[in-house]
């Protein structure tokens, strides 16, 4: 059992894992039993108008316990890691002041890492560098931009996939706009140029414990298929149609949320609904594999402060009494 948090200590629980692993169900159950506030830690669930496709907790669940940072950001405005971190810290502090346990729930590893370890502050990027990055991406595609980055900033390029257009453009603009690569800036995290680990305004450091869900691949594939069918019934196509009607920049993160590109292609007549679903589930499955790998190899908390659940979580009722005692002993 972990040491009990002191009265003064700022303690928060992290519930992390890949898409469709059951994070929201676990966080809800824990929040009900422990008097918690669930704080979104998913980069897509911050956007309004995508409640179905990003699998935000439904209104009924959000009414059971306080939920924060779900559907808060307009899709026309990209949500940065720095914006999320600032808002998350505000909500964590508010929860603590109200005598509630902050429970950060999601699958975006970068958000968790920025919260726990700190976030480097990169100087403002000149508009010329941003325009150049967007122009190269549009004219040459992500693979060619990755090749350019490999020659100019190999340390950063090695961290990025040649298909990750958003992060490639960001890496290019940082290199062009500051004269230093993104990997070099990130290496300074925690120094005088970074925000440092999460603290209260009075300097008290936050202490984190992590529940990591790591279900078998087959269980995730099955859950992804079921979730997709449920999303279609709940209005996923209508969500995409409304999003497209706004004629937003296709490079915005919300326009690349899981299911949006595939349903968009279906609405444009390139695929039928079955093919859109097949491609969407395949893309989600590939993403969950990367998520699971990241969470297995990145420490969100100290080993003694991390507990792994090797099953998909469908609700607190699935756990035996002994398992529940183990989980509560770990958290409390």
């Amino acid at each position: 059992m972990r040491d009990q948090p002191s009265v003064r200590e700022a303690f928060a629980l992290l519930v992390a894992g890949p898409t469709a692993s059951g994070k929201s169900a676990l966080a809800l159950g824990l929040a009900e039993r422990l008097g918690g506030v669930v704080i979104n830690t998913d980069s897509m669930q911050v956007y309004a108008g995508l409640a179905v496709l990003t699998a935000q907790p439904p209104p009924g669940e959000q009414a059971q316990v306080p939920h924060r940072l779900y559907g808060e950001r307009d899709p026309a405005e990209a949500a940065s890691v720095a914006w999320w971190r600032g808002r998350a810290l505000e909500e964590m502090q508010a929860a603590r002041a109200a005598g509630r346990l902050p429970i950060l729930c999601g699958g975006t590893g970068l958000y968790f890492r920025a919260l726990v370890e700190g976030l480097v502050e990169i100087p403002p990027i000149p508009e010329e560098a941003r325009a150049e990055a967007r122009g190269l991406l549009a004219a040459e595609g992500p693979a060619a931009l990755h090749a350019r980055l490999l020659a100019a900033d190999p340390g950063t390029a090695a961290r990025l996939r040649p298909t990750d257009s958003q992060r490639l453009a960001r890496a290019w603009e940082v290199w062009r706009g500051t004269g230093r690569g993104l990997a070099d800036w990130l290496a300074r995290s925690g120094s005088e140029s970074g925000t440092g680990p999460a603290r209260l305004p009075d300097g008290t450091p936050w202490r984190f414990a992590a529940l990591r869900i790591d279900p078998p691949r087959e269980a995730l594939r099955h859950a992804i298929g079921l979730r997709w069918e449920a999303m279609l019934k709940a209005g996923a196509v209508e969500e995409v149609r409304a999003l497209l009607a706004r004629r937003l920049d296709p490079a915005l993160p919300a326009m690349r949320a899981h299911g949006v590109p595939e349903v968009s292609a279906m609405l444009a007549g390139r695929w039928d609904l079955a093919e859109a679903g097949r491609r969407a589930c395949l893309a989600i499955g590939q993403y969950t594999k990367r998520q699971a790998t990241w969470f297995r190899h990145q420490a969100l908390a100290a080993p003694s402060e991390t507990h792994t659940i090797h099953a998909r979580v469908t609700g607190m009722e699935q756990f035996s009494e002994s398992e529940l005692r183990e989980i509560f002993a770990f958290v409390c």
Side-chain angles (χ1 to χ4, degrees):
M1 182 183 297
R2 301 175 305 106
D3 294 335
Q4 295 294 319
S6 68
V7 174
R8 185 172 180 271
E9 184 179 40
F11 174 69
L13 177 65
L14 312 179
V15 178
T19 297
S21 60
K23 301 180 298 293
S24 296
L26 180 57
L28 175 64
L30 290 170
E32 286 181 315
R33 288 160 174 78
L34 301 173
V37 175
V38 181
I39 301 171
N40 171 42
T41 315
D42 183 281
S43 63
M44 290 294 117
Q45 290 183 338
V46 301
Y47 292 110
L50 290 173
V52 174
L53 272 175
T54 62
Q56 296 174 28
E61 291 185 7
Q62 295 200 35
Q64 290 177 245
V65 299
H67 283 69
R68 301 289 185 260
L69 302 188
Y70 291 93
E72 182 170 307
R73 192 84 168 181
D74 188 278
E77 301 176 353
S80 69
V81 180
W83 170 84
W84 174 85
R85 188 180 193 271
R87 288 288 295 112
L89 285 171
E90 290 174 2
E91 296 296 348
M92 290 164 62
Q93 291 160 14
R96 182 173 184 269
R100 287 182 167 272
L101 171 66
I103 301 175
L104 292 107
C105 174
T108 301
L110 183 59
Y111 279 14
F112 282 114
R113 187 167 64 187
L115 178 67
V116 174
E117 299 179 3
L119 184 67
V120 67
E121 294 179 354
I122 298 172
I125 305 299
E127 181 54 37
E128 295 80 6
R130 294 185 185 278
E132 179 179 300
R134 292 195 299 268
L136 287 172
L137 187 63
E140 301 179 3
L145 184 56
H146 185 269
R148 284 178 176 268
L149 190 67
L150 191 62
D153 180 14
T156 302
R159 300 181 175 203
L160 301 176
R161 291 179 290 109
T163 57
D164 196 340
S165 57
Q166 179 188 3
R167 289 182 173 85
L168 286 168
R170 173 60 174 167
W172 185 263
E173 70 182 30
V174 168
W175 176 73
R176 291 290 286 167
T178 70
R180 297 175 56 185
L182 186 56
D184 191 22
W185 282 107
L186 293 173
R188 292 165 59 108
S189 180
S191 69
E192 70 279 1
S193 67
T195 60
R199 294 178 179 273
L200 289 171
D202 67 0
T204 302
W206 280 94
R207 173 184 168 190
F208 297 100
L211 283 171
R212 184 173 66 91
I213 309 175
D214 187 21
R217 294 294 307 158
E218 185 56 40
L220 272 184
R221 281 193 291 268
H222 182 65
I224 290 167
L226 292 177
R227 173 177 285 187
W228 180 257
E229 293 301 321
M231 286 176 171
L232 293 179
K233 294 177 182 177
V237 174
E238 289 72 18
E239 276 192 346
V240 176
R241 187 178 283 114
L243 192 64
L244 294 175
R246 297 186 60 182
R247 300 184 181 279
L248 301 176
D249 183 345
L252 285 166
M255 299 300 292
R256 296 193 305 278
H258 291 310
V260 172
E262 293 82 5
V263 174
S264 298
M266 185 271 292
L267 291 173
R270 293 199 295 273
W271 304 326
D272 61 16
L273 186 57
E275 179 62 11
R278 186 189 71 81
R279 290 175 180 251
C281 289
L282 179 62
I284 296 169
Q286 292 170 339
Y287 177 67
T288 61
K289 186 175 182 180
R290 294 194 297 273
Q291 282 179 300
T293 299
W294 193 95
F295 284 120
R296 288 185 196 122
H297 293 90
Q298 299 289 330
L300 299 179
S304 62
E305 301 276 353
T306 301
H307 179 76
T308 301
I309 299 171
H310 293 291
R312 180 174 177 267
V313 181
T314 57
M316 296 298 286
E317 68 280 354
Q318 81 179 75
F319 295 109
S320 67
E321 285 301 317
S322 62
E323 288 171 325
L324 285 174
R325 284 195 298 271
E326 183 179 0
I327 291 172
F328 292 137
F330 169 78
V331 174
C332 299

